[in-house]
Structure formats: structure tokens, C-alpha cells
Amino acid sequence: MTGRTRHKEIRLNAFHMNAPGHSWAGLWTHPKDRCADYTDLDFWIELARIAERGKLDGIFLADVSGVYDVYAGTPDAALAAGAQIPSNDPSVLISAMAAATRDLGFGVTASVGYEQPYYLARRFSTLDHLTKGRVGWNIVTGYLESAARAIGDGGVREHDQRYDRADEFLELAYRLWEGSWEDDAAVRDKAGRVFVRPEKVHRITHRGTFFDLDAIHLSEPSPQRTPLLYQAGTSGRGREFAARHAECVFMNQGRAAVAEAAADIRRRAATYGRHPEDLLVFVGATVSVAPTEAEARDKYEEYRSHIDTRGALALLSGWTGIDFSQYGPDDPVRYVKSNGMQSKIEAMTLRSPDRVWRVRDLADFGEVGGRGPFVVGTPSQVADELLTWVEAGADGFNLTRVVEPANLTDIVDLLVPELQDRGVYKTDYSPGTLREKLFGPGRARLSPRHPAHAFRHPGPAA
Ligand SMILES: Cc1cc2nc3c(=O)[nH]c(=O)nc-3n(C[C@H](O)[C@H](O)[C@H](O)COP(=O)(O)O)c2cc1C
């Protein structure tokens, strides 16, 4: 089947970070790139307006709580390249971007490894209020030793235990968002001089393996209560976590691996009583589009010449936990069971049986096993390629930051109309919260099939 006969709607997010460099190290040195202005709100407001002009579903902000110091055992390569350092708090950007837009959604990454459920729940409730229900949380577990050391944790917890802690964290967040306040608790009754009816606010108590909590939620119910839940991480344990919690799963994998992981997560989700359509799969994609193929190729070569090789390897080393400074450019990348992102190293090795990736590939701007589609071409060529990933099980794409906002502008002006012409992309936003825009009317809040629904307070009638 080709894209011309298929009518599944493709979802697009712009994938960014509150830092000068994100997934591709060094591109901030390109004369057209404005990401070095990441400390200036005008940069973010303009980006949000471009994204909304292109009817993108959201801006999705990555975040890490530490520095990439696995490469040669120091942060120097990452610092020199501006590779995810310096890095500012992503959540603080959202209010300004929300004020400049009406429908655009926002995905905010926050790690359950370094936070307390009590505070995180309030932060997301606040964002959900201020955006009128347009916020999502990208739940990550953390993988950098530097982040664990920074908060005095000694070291990163063992891989699977990070997910055990995440499960307990999520249960507490759900109980605060869904169970602490009844819908009609904050009555704002001026005549009766009652803001909140105390009998409608419920204390959450918990003594667990990783957390103790005894509190009422600080925020009153927001439009979505629980923010839209994104998750990234497709190791075996990561998939189980996704199947239970995620509404949107973010993957960086090869096409066959996406197909396998998407089907597996949907199968596992059924064991929690969820339906396949309760989960959307977003694939990380690098897209560079131009009116002609020659222009697209020229642009790609020009971008490529600004890549910082050591910065790129510093990122890869941090992601995988493998120090790539120890290898030569022609050395093959081999599978090592590390305590880092298992899905990343698995994607480049075990799940990439047809090709041996070499260290020089990791340092380049181009297709790398485990990074999803890398597409350079005309609008029609890019659309054709993306649709093959949709055939494989993707519902949408997180469009990786390249040279910005120039690259996103090209996507909005060239690719979006092509997708609209093919009938696979919206021509306007649907009303409602971010969850309703993605899952349909009446879905402002979590599906009754989601495990968190069990934590909703039944109210006085029950
Ligand atoms: C596509 C993708 C994006 C991710 N983004 C972030 C991020 O922004 N911040 C972060 O701390 N971790 C991020 N992670 C890491 C995951 O949360 C998780 O800690 C890691 O992948 C290890 O789990 P896994 O072995 O199941 O992949 C990301 C992972 C993937 C696969």
C-alpha cells in the first residue's frame, strides 16, 4: 500500500532541548542556526508559532539532568561542542510558548530518577492549568552517572530497578492527580466564603520501597488531570513500563525494530486491559526537505560540514555508557550490556543484523542504526519514506532539531502541504485538550482502560 491510498493521520512533533545542541552535536555553528539563542524567550516563541502554523501536534522537549562525561572520562568534549550542555530547565519555557499559541501541545521531559512525585505532580498540574490542557510528560528514568552523583545518589541505580522505582513513582503521581481532589472540590463560592470544600479533598498516604508520602495534592484538578503520558525506552523492562503507562511511546529504532517493538508493546498493553489504539508510536526522525533533490542534497552536505565529531561521540558515549574515545573510527560498534540506554546499543547491534555500524558512522550526520529515519529529499520523497514507517507501525514522528528554525520552517512550508495533499495530515486542529486532539472527543482525561483510572476518587456516590 502506498501513502496515496492510506488515510491514517500522521502526527508530528518538533523535538528540541533547552540547550544550544541537541541530538546532532555542532550544528549550532551553522550561520543560519539560532539555537545558541536558547536563553532568549523570543527564540522559543518564534519556534512555537512556526510549529503551530504547520499544525504540528507539539513541541517535545528532551532533558537530561547530568553532563555527558563518559567519553574519555571528562565532560570536555561535550562542553566544547555545546552538546546538551549548557542546558536549562525545559518546563519554564512552556507558559510563554502557550501564551503565543492556541492549539500546539507541549511534551516536557522529566526524570523519575531524580525527583519526588509530590513536587513533579504539582509542576505538571500547574502547566496543565496554564496551557488549558496542552501538556504532556515524557517519563524518563535517567541513565547518566553524572546526574546521580550531582544529587548525592552515589551512582545510577541498576537498569531494571530504575523502572521499578518509576512504577512506584507513577502510582503516587496518579494518586495525587486522579485521587486527591474531586472535580467539584474547588467551588470558589464567594457568597458562602468557601474556596475549597474540605470533604472533597483526600489525603494520599503511601509507604513503599522507594517513596513515602503523606499529603494532599497541592493543585486543584486541571483540564487533563494526569498530563498526556509519553515514554521513551524500549528494552524489555522499558516495554513493560510503556505497556502499562504510556499513551505515546517515543522510539529511535530501525524500521523493522519499530514494527516489532510497537506490536510487542501493544500486545503487552492488552494484559493491562488496554486497547491497541490507546497507544501512539512516535519515531525520532531527521528530515531535511527542499524543493528539488539537488537542493536537499546540498543543504545536507552543508549541515554535515558543521557536525562536531567529538561532541557526537560524547553524546553516544553518554547514551550507551560506552567510552567511544577508546576506539578507532573503523572499529565496529559491538553489543555490550551496559547500565546506560539499552535500547540505543541494542538498536545499533542486536536489532540491526544487516549492517555493521562503525564508530565513524556514529560521529557523522547521517543514518545511524538506532536513530530512526534520516530523510533528505523533495517533499514527495520525504513523504514516501515517512509513510513506509507508518506502514511499519509508527503513528507519528518527533522531528529532530537540525539547523533551526530554518529546517522546521522548510518542513512546515514544504512537507506539511505535501502530507495534507495526500490526506494524511490535518488541515486544522481538533478542539480540546492535547489528549483529545490525539485520541478524540471525550478523551480529555485518561482512558477508563488506563491503569491509573483505578486511582480516581469515586466521589460521594460510590
Ligand atoms: C528516543 C529516546 C529518547 C529519550 N529521551 C530522554 C531524555 O530526554 N532524557 C532522559 O533523561 N532520558 C531519555 N531517554 C532515556 C530513557 O528514559 C531510558 O532511561 C533509557 O532509554 C534506558 O531505558 P531502556 O534501556 O529501556 O532504553 C530517552 C530514550 C529514548 C529511547
mmCIF file of all heavy atoms in Angstrom, residues 29 77 88 95 103 128 166 175 186 189 217 287 325 335 339 398 416:
data_model
loop_
_atom_site.group_PDB
_atom_site.id
_atom_site.type_symbol
_atom_site.label_atom_id
_atom_site.label_comp_id
_atom_site.label_asym_id
_atom_site.label_seq_id
_atom_site.Cartn_x
_atom_site.Cartn_y
_atom_site.Cartn_z
ATOM 1 N N THR A 29 26.849 25.835 15.104
ATOM 2 C CA THR A 29 27.877 26.671 14.455
ATOM 3 C C THR A 29 27.473 27.075 13.033
ATOM 4 O O THR A 29 28.128 27.910 12.423
ATOM 5 C CB THR A 29 29.228 25.928 14.391
ATOM 6 O OG1 THR A 29 29.036 24.712 13.644
ATOM 7 C CG2 THR A 29 29.774 25.602 15.766
ATOM 8 N N ALA A 77 34.642 17.236 25.976
ATOM 9 C CA ALA A 77 34.186 17.182 24.576
ATOM 10 C C ALA A 77 32.761 17.705 24.470
ATOM 11 O O ALA A 77 32.424 18.447 23.544
ATOM 12 C CB ALA A 77 34.273 15.752 24.046
ATOM 13 N N ASN A 88 19.205 24.328 30.136
ATOM 14 C CA ASN A 88 18.264 24.960 31.075
ATOM 15 C C ASN A 88 17.013 24.112 31.240
ATOM 16 O O ASN A 88 16.727 23.227 30.434
ATOM 17 C CB ASN A 88 17.887 26.350 30.579
ATOM 18 C CG ASN A 88 18.959 27.386 30.896
ATOM 19 O OD1 ASN A 88 19.907 27.107 31.639
ATOM 20 N ND2 ASN A 88 18.820 28.569 30.327
ATOM 21 N N SER A 95 5.021 28.186 29.560
ATOM 22 C CA SER A 95 3.997 29.235 29.697
ATOM 23 C C SER A 95 4.108 30.244 28.570
ATOM 24 O O SER A 95 3.089 30.657 27.997
ATOM 25 C CB SER A 95 4.143 29.992 31.015
ATOM 26 O OG SER A 95 4.127 29.127 32.074
ATOM 27 N N ASP A 103 -3.341 25.974 20.086
ATOM 28 C CA ASP A 103 -3.601 24.535 19.975
ATOM 29 C C ASP A 103 -2.367 23.655 20.130
ATOM 30 O O ASP A 103 -2.492 22.447 20.336
ATOM 31 C CB ASP A 103 -4.212 24.234 18.596
ATOM 32 C CG ASP A 103 -5.623 24.762 18.484
ATOM 33 O OD1 ASP A 103 -6.500 24.239 19.191
ATOM 34 O OD2 ASP A 103 -5.849 25.709 17.717
ATOM 35 N N ASP A 128 -0.504 22.197 33.203
ATOM 36 C CA ASP A 128 -1.754 21.794 32.546
ATOM 37 C C ASP A 128 -2.814 22.894 32.691
ATOM 38 O O ASP A 128 -3.567 23.164 31.758
ATOM 39 C CB ASP A 128 -2.242 20.462 33.124
ATOM 40 C CG ASP A 128 -3.176 19.754 32.159
ATOM 41 O OD1 ASP A 128 -2.839 19.649 30.961
ATOM 42 O OD2 ASP A 128 -4.262 19.329 32.594
ATOM 43 N N ALA A 166 10.338 3.742 38.924
ATOM 44 C CA ALA A 166 9.440 4.540 38.076
ATOM 45 C C ALA A 166 7.989 4.090 38.247
ATOM 46 O O ALA A 166 7.072 4.912 38.295
ATOM 47 C CB ALA A 166 9.872 4.433 36.620
ATOM 48 N N ARG A 175 -2.088 8.917 41.957
ATOM 49 C CA ARG A 175 -2.967 9.081 43.121
ATOM 50 C C ARG A 175 -3.144 10.566 43.453
ATOM 51 O O ARG A 175 -4.222 11.005 43.842
ATOM 52 C CB ARG A 175 -2.417 8.295 44.301
ATOM 53 C CG ARG A 175 -2.550 6.775 44.064
ATOM 54 C CD ARG A 175 -1.981 5.960 45.195
ATOM 55 N NE ARG A 175 -2.754 6.134 46.420
ATOM 56 C CZ ARG A 175 -2.376 5.678 47.599
ATOM 57 N NH1 ARG A 175 -1.237 5.005 47.716
ATOM 58 N NH2 ARG A 175 -3.125 5.870 48.654
ATOM 59 N N ALA A 186 -13.099 22.560 44.330
ATOM 60 C CA ALA A 186 -12.774 23.993 44.369
ATOM 61 C C ALA A 186 -13.976 24.779 43.845
ATOM 62 O O ALA A 186 -14.087 25.078 42.664
ATOM 63 C CB ALA A 186 -11.529 24.273 43.542
ATOM 64 N N ASP A 189 -16.865 29.640 46.001
ATOM 65 C CA ASP A 189 -18.182 30.153 46.408
ATOM 66 C C ASP A 189 -17.985 31.444 47.209
ATOM 67 O O ASP A 189 -17.717 31.402 48.403
ATOM 68 C CB ASP A 189 -18.885 29.049 47.233
ATOM 69 C CG ASP A 189 -20.219 29.504 47.814
ATOM 70 O OD1 ASP A 189 -20.622 30.665 47.559
ATOM 71 O OD2 ASP A 189 -20.840 28.706 48.518
ATOM 72 N N HIS A 217 -2.750 16.616 47.357
ATOM 73 C CA HIS A 217 -2.141 17.269 46.190
ATOM 74 C C HIS A 217 -2.286 18.776 46.356
ATOM 75 O O HIS A 217 -3.325 19.259 46.813
ATOM 76 C CB HIS A 217 -2.859 16.778 44.924
ATOM 77 C CG HIS A 217 -2.212 17.223 43.646
ATOM 78 N ND1 HIS A 217 -0.865 17.419 43.506
ATOM 79 C CD2 HIS A 217 -2.753 17.499 42.424
ATOM 80 C CE1 HIS A 217 -0.591 17.799 42.260
ATOM 81 N NE2 HIS A 217 -1.724 17.862 41.587
ATOM 82 N N VAL A 287 14.739 15.038 9.300
ATOM 83 C CA VAL A 287 14.167 15.316 7.979
ATOM 84 C C VAL A 287 14.763 16.614 7.449
ATOM 85 O O VAL A 287 14.806 17.619 8.157
ATOM 86 C CB VAL A 287 12.628 15.451 8.085
ATOM 87 C CG1 VAL A 287 12.052 16.042 6.803
ATOM 88 C CG2 VAL A 287 11.990 14.103 8.391
ATOM 89 N N SER A 325 35.915 6.947 23.009
ATOM 90 C CA SER A 325 37.254 7.514 22.773
ATOM 91 C C SER A 325 38.299 6.395 22.721
ATOM 92 O O SER A 325 39.410 6.591 22.255
ATOM 93 C CB SER A 325 37.619 8.521 23.874
ATOM 94 O OG SER A 325 37.931 7.855 25.079
ATOM 95 N N TYR A 335 27.751 -5.024 20.669
ATOM 96 C CA TYR A 335 26.818 -5.008 21.796
ATOM 97 C C TYR A 335 27.557 -5.232 23.113
ATOM 98 O O TYR A 335 28.362 -6.157 23.234
ATOM 99 C CB TYR A 335 25.744 -6.088 21.624
ATOM 100 C CG TYR A 335 24.820 -6.145 22.818
ATOM 101 C CD1 TYR A 335 23.879 -5.146 23.028
ATOM 102 C CD2 TYR A 335 24.923 -7.171 23.754
ATOM 103 C CE1 TYR A 335 23.053 -5.160 24.130
ATOM 104 C CE2 TYR A 335 24.090 -7.202 24.868
ATOM 105 C CZ TYR A 335 23.161 -6.185 25.046
ATOM 106 O OH TYR A 335 22.344 -6.200 26.147
ATOM 107 N N ASN A 339 24.853 -0.178 31.684
ATOM 108 C CA ASN A 339 23.808 0.357 32.556
ATOM 109 C C ASN A 339 23.199 1.623 31.948
ATOM 110 O O ASN A 339 22.456 2.338 32.589
ATOM 111 C CB ASN A 339 24.394 0.643 33.951
ATOM 112 C CG ASN A 339 23.330 0.596 35.027
ATOM 113 O OD1 ASN A 339 22.276 -0.015 34.845
ATOM 114 N ND2 ASN A 339 23.564 1.255 36.141
ATOM 115 N N ASN A 398 8.843 12.427 15.867
ATOM 116 C CA ASN A 398 9.462 13.530 16.592
ATOM 117 C C ASN A 398 10.590 14.034 15.708
ATOM 118 O O ASN A 398 11.595 13.338 15.506
ATOM 119 C CB ASN A 398 10.007 13.048 17.953
ATOM 120 C CG ASN A 398 8.939 13.044 19.017
ATOM 121 O OD1 ASN A 398 7.796 13.451 18.781
ATOM 122 N ND2 ASN A 398 9.292 12.572 20.205
ATOM 123 N N VAL A 416 4.605 19.693 5.045
ATOM 124 C CA VAL A 416 3.229 19.676 5.573
ATOM 125 C C VAL A 416 2.199 19.774 4.440
ATOM 126 O O VAL A 416 1.259 18.963 4.389
ATOM 127 C CB VAL A 416 3.053 20.754 6.671
ATOM 128 C CG1 VAL A 416 1.584 21.049 6.935
ATOM 129 C CG2 VAL A 416 3.746 20.298 7.957
#
